[in-house]
Amino acid sequence: MKLRIDVVTLFPQAIEPYLNASILGKAQEKGIVKIKVHNLRSFTLDRYKTVDDYPFGGGPGMVLKPEPLWRAVKFIESYTVSTPRVILTSPQGSLFSQEKARELAQEEHLLFLCGRYQGVDERVITLTGAEEISIGDYILSGGELAALVMIEATVRLIPGVLGDEESIKADSFYKEGLGPPQFTRPRVFQGLEVPEVLLSGNHALIEEWRKKKAEEKTARIRPELLPVAKDKKE
Ligand code: SAH
């Protein structure tokens, strides 16, 4: 096993099917990753299994109480040999990226905490040393989708997970900028033809064309990703 992942959530049923399907499911079957989902509610001690409470200072909504989350982290830390890197899904965190995925893919053990409602009691962050990571500047109702996004982006980078490792290199963000446009059969669809060069069999020419198209699209849609823009920023 190369990576162990624990996820703490109030809604295991919302994420388990996704984790067990397709590439993530196969990665687990192959024994490359082990993913365990824990129900936050099982870390409560009171008879009502309370996970949330009103915010101190007033205001709308509910806040996830610190005890169950803290207990979940301590429990996972105590029964696993490796020390997990604790990640709190949060819109207030640093932005997730392909670079971050590469960094997480080097780890042995990741532990994702999924927030809900108005978020989690701040002391959870202080006490567990959790790193807050956001998947973008918008608000979701919970951290489940964010955890799935990060898990999928990370796991596919671990050697052995994808059938064809080369495909990673053809993706956007592998180098600078976006990837090239892709075409498959049929050669003509609804009157639109596949660019001639792709049928030429001339690999050097094809590479050059792909590079040019990728750069054009990056310049049009995400100019800030081009090396020139990056140099300026530094
Ligand atoms: N009141 C909070 C938002 C809470 S949203 C705030 O203003 O910052 C509820 C939970 O959903 C969060 O605790 C977090 O776990 C998750 N979440 C929402 N948006 C997210 C995002 N962009 N990235 C990662 N997690 C997010």
Side-chain angles (χ1 to χ4, degrees):
M1 196 214 342
K2 292 207 176 108
L3 176 63
R4 182 194 165 96
I5 301 176
D6 290 275
V7 187
V8 178
T9 166
L10 273 176
F11 301 98
Q13 73 278 21
I15 62 167
E16 269 165 350
Y18 195 84
L19 290 170
N20 294 328
S22 187
I23 290 176
L24 288 172
K26 290 223 181 68
Q28 293 184 80
E29 277 167 28
K30 288 189 205 162
I32 302 171
V33 287
K34 183 178 170 67
I35 309 180
K36 180 99 181 74
V37 180
H38 308 262
N39 193 329
L40 178 62
R41 224 171 268 286
S42 61
F43 295 97
T44 54
L45 296 180
D46 65 305
R47 57 190 287 214
Y48 302 107
K49 300 192 183 299
T50 315
V51 290
D52 57 346
D53 207 336
Y54 297 99
F56 270 126
M62 302 296 271
V63 175
L64 284 182
K65 289 164 67 57
E67 308 96 311
L69 281 162
W70 183 78
R71 234 179 263 126
V73 173
K74 290 292 140 193
F75 170 75
I76 293 161
E77 279 175 352
S78 69
Y79 92 100
T80 54
V81 240
S82 44
T83 311
R85 175 163 172 178
V86 186
I87 293 166
L88 173 66
T89 55
S90 161
Q92 301 175 13
S94 59
L95 269 189
F96 188 66
S97 62
Q98 188 65 14
E99 201 181 328
K100 196 76 182 177
R102 276 195 284 266
E103 189 188 313
L104 297 185
Q106 306 292 321
E107 296 286 346
E108 263 182 65
H109 190 176
L110 301 171
L111 164 45
F112 290 93
L113 300 175
C114 302
R116 270 276 151 178
Y117 315 122
Q118 291 297 325
V120 312
D121 186 305
E122 191 74 15
R123 288 166 294 182
V124 170
I125 304 168
T126 319
L127 287 172
T128 63
E131 164 184 3
E132 290 178 272
I133 308 185
S134 163
I135 61 161
D137 291 344
Y138 40 78
I139 300 297
L140 301 163
S141 301
E144 288 73 17
L145 285 171
L148 285 180
V149 164
M150 292 190 247
I151 292 169
E152 175 155 302
T154 300
V155 168
R156 68 197 297 284
L157 296 177
I158 300 172
V161 169
L162 291 185
D164 182 2
E165 307 282 313
E166 282 302 302
S167 68
I168 291 176
K169 298 186 184 157
D171 285 331
S172 299
F173 314 116
Y174 177 72
K175 289 187 216 117
E176 270 113 8
L178 309 175
Q182 307 281 359
F183 296 88
T184 185
R185 281 186 290 190
R187 235 171 120 153
V188 183
F189 178 65
Q190 299 276 312
L192 293 180
E193 284 195 36
V194 168
E196 196 64 40
V197 58
L198 297 178
L199 311 171
S200 68
N202 183 333
H203 291 294
L205 222 56
I206 292 173
E207 266 326 292
E208 199 182 305
W209 181 87
R210 285 189 166 145
K211 193 160 174 267
K212 187 168 142 259
K213 287 290 165 186
E215 278 171 12
E216 276 171 17
K217 186 161 188 189
T218 310
R220 188 158 38 91
I221 315 238
R222 301 288 305 277
E224 78 281 8
L225 295 177
L226 287 174
V228 193
K230 277 194 179 160
D231 289 348
K232 266 190 209 148
K233 249 201 270 170
E234 277 159 13

